[in-house]
């Protein structure tokens, strides 16, 4: 099954209580994510990076509140739903407005004032972006989005350096999250492939969230770009749909709140986060704080099928210091 995006008024009444798609909330939960990162940083081997990430997320919260999506851009979201054959906010087709550049400028200005942003690598990345003109920023953004869709760039020189890419992504993700939160759409399950990619923007997930409470046991993948969540049945590989070669790994015991689901058919894995085991889980923050599990999976020769927006994979043909 795959997810088909439809106008909210056309949602099928036969879906029952399992929503095929959950749009991100209009008010971003960045404050909650920042708090969780600060909590996880205490006594952690990656304390400095987790605290740096918390500052990035806190900046996203400030800018999201100061610069909501303009009304004129909200209005054109309706037109995006008139092309049901493709993801309505697909990053290869969506025409970015100047709003994302305004978000980027505000993020850079806010980050530049933070004490943990004063390292050489961060300052160099901030300076590169602040000095770049609109054409350069747009070229970097298009190349970055394409690379994270696993598309080979026409010119590898357009790829941004690692530090620049990480800061760019913080603005792009915020922009797409604002778009997704305002999209007047719903989702319905249909036959088809590509369910491992976000039905709104076409990007891979960060991980899967196994809900608790009234939705106990339901699994949703969370997009690494727009942060919408879409339903995928459990015991199915989130990358290739296999049901025959799945294994589950954890660093603690079988009741651990974070596990890696691996597939022997496609040799990939994606982490799953179980809300019933830990009600304080925040998928992006807890994923970043559990990279030891990723290291164990890589030692087994398995490739991660998801991306954490706060630690992007290295891009081909880039040479620079990583952040922070």
């Amino acid at each position: 099954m795959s997810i088909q995006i439809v106008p909210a008024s056309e949602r099928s009444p036969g879906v029952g209580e399992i929503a095929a798609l959950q749009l991100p909330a209009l008010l971003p939960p960045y404050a909650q994510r920042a708090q969780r990162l600060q909590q996880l940083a205490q006594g952690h081997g990656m304390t400095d990076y987790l605290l740096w990430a918390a500052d990035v997320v806190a900046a996203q919260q400030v800018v999201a509140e100061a610069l909501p999506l303009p009304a004129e851009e909200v209005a054109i979201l309706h037109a995006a739903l008139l092309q049901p054959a493709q993801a309505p906010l697909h990053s290869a087709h969506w025409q970015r407005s100047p709003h994302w550049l305004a978000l980027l400028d505000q993020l850079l200005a806010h980050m530049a004032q933070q004490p943990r942003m004063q390292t050489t690598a961060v300052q160099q990345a901030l300076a590169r972006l602040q000095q770049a003109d609109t054409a350069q920023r747009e070229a970097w953004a298009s190349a970055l989005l394409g690379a994270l869709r696993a598309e080979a760039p026409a010119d590898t020189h357009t790829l941004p350096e690692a530090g620049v890419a990480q800061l760019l992504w913080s603005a792009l993700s915020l922009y797409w999250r604002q778009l997704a939160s305002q999209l007047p759409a719903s989702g319905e399950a249909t036959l088809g492939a590509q369910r491992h990619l976000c039905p709104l923007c076409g990007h891979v997930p960060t991980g899967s969230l196994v809900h608790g409470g009234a939705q106990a046991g339901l699994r949703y993948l969370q997009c690494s770009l727009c942060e919408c969540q879409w339903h995928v049945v459990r015991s199915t590989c989130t990358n290739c749909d296999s049901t025959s070669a799945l294994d589950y790994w954890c660093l603690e015991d079988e009741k651990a709140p974070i596990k890696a689901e691996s597939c022997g058919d496609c040799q990939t894995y994606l982490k799953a986060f179980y809300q019933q085991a830990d009600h304080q889980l925040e998928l992006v923050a807890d994923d970043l704080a559990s990279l030891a599990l990723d290291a164990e999976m890589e030692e087994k020769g398995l490739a991660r099928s998801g991306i954490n927006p706060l630690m992007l994979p290295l891009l081909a043909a880039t040479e620079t210091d990583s952040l922070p």
Side-chain angles (χ1 to χ4, degrees):
M1 302 294 287
S2 61
I3 306 298
Q4 178 71 44
I5 305 301
V6 297
S9 60
E10 297 180 11
R11 179 177 178 178
S12 168
V15 174
E17 295 186 4
I18 301 178
L21 179 73
Q22 296 185 347
L23 299 178
L26 180 60
L27 296 178
Y30 295 121
Q32 175 190 355
R33 184 172 297 165
Q35 183 179 11
R36 180 64 170 169
L37 284 164
Q38 292 170 347
Q39 175 187 353
L40 293 168
Q42 304 306 310
H44 196 283
M46 291 175 52
T47 294
D48 289 343
Y49 195 91
L50 292 175
L51 291 176
W52 177 84
D55 284 352
V56 172
V57 174
Q60 288 177 304
Q61 176 73 27
V62 170
V63 175
E65 293 175 358
L67 293 175
L69 194 68
E72 56 269 23
E73 192 153 3
V74 174
I76 66 174
L77 288 172
H78 293 265
L81 297 175
L82 300 179
Q83 302 179 21
Q86 67 180 34
L89 301 178
H90 199 290
S91 66
H93 309 298
W94 181 260
Q95 186 66 41
R96 297 186 297 272
S97 76
H99 179 64
W100 91 267
L101 293 168
L103 294 173
L104 176 61
D105 279 329
Q106 288 296 313
L107 280 167
L108 297 178
H110 188 78
M111 291 177 187
Q113 306 303 317
Q114 303 305 307
R116 277 186 284 268
M117 299 289 172
Q118 304 307 311
T119 65
T120 300
V122 176
Q123 287 296 306
Q124 288 176 345
L126 285 168
R128 285 274 282 163
L129 276 167
Q130 289 169 330
Q131 295 166 11
D133 59 19
T134 297
Q136 179 63 80
R137 291 175 169 190
E138 292 284 10
W140 277 337
S142 294
L144 175 59
L145 289 165
L148 294 179
R149 292 192 306 267
E151 299 171 3
D155 180 2
T156 57
H157 295 294
T158 62
L159 285 169
E161 301 165 352
V164 170
Q166 188 63 70
L167 297 180
L168 265 179
W169 191 255
S170 66
L172 290 168
S173 181
L174 173 54
Y175 173 58
W176 252 274
R177 195 182 195 286
Q178 288 186 334
L179 290 170
S181 69
Q182 296 276 17
L183 192 68
S186 182
E188 59 182 18
T190 62
L191 292 175
Q194 299 294 317
R195 67 174 172 184
H196 61 288
L197 298 178
C198 175
L200 289 188
C201 68
H203 281 256
V204 298
T206 296
S208 65
L209 187 67
V210 181
H211 286 209
Q215 292 188 317
L218 295 183
R219 177 174 71 173
Y220 286 82
L221 303 188
Q222 180 167 309
C223 179
S224 57
L225 178 60
C226 73
E227 299 202 12
C228 85
Q229 295 181 358
W230 66 101
H231 178 251
V232 176
V233 295
R234 294 171 67 180
S235 301
T236 302
C237 176
T238 57
N239 186 59
C240 74
D241 293 341
S242 173
T243 59
S244 61
L246 300 180
D247 289 300
Y248 296 86
W249 311 82
C250 59
L251 296 178
E252 303 168 17
D253 56 39
E254 61 181 15
K255 295 183 180 180
I258 304 174
K259 297 178 182 177
E261 180 185 81
S262 69
C263 176
D265 285 345
C266 66
Q267 295 296 300
T268 68
Y269 76 93
L270 190 69
K271 283 191 283 188
F273 301 82
Y274 296 80
Q275 284 187 323
Q276 283 188 316
D278 186 347
H279 297 294
Q280 298 184 65
L281 278 175
E282 200 289 323
L283 191 148
V284 172
D286 282 82
D287 177 56
L288 193 63
S290 58
L291 292 182
L293 181 54
D294 292 88
E296 290 287 335
M297 301 309 292
E298 290 174 6
E299 286 188 4
K300 299 179 187 300
L302 298 167
R304 176 170 169 146
S305 62
I307 291 174
N308 189 298
L310 293 173
M311 183 174 279
L312 302 182
L314 292 178
L315 305 177
T318 61
E319 294 181 4
T320 188
D321 294 331
S322 59
L323 301 183

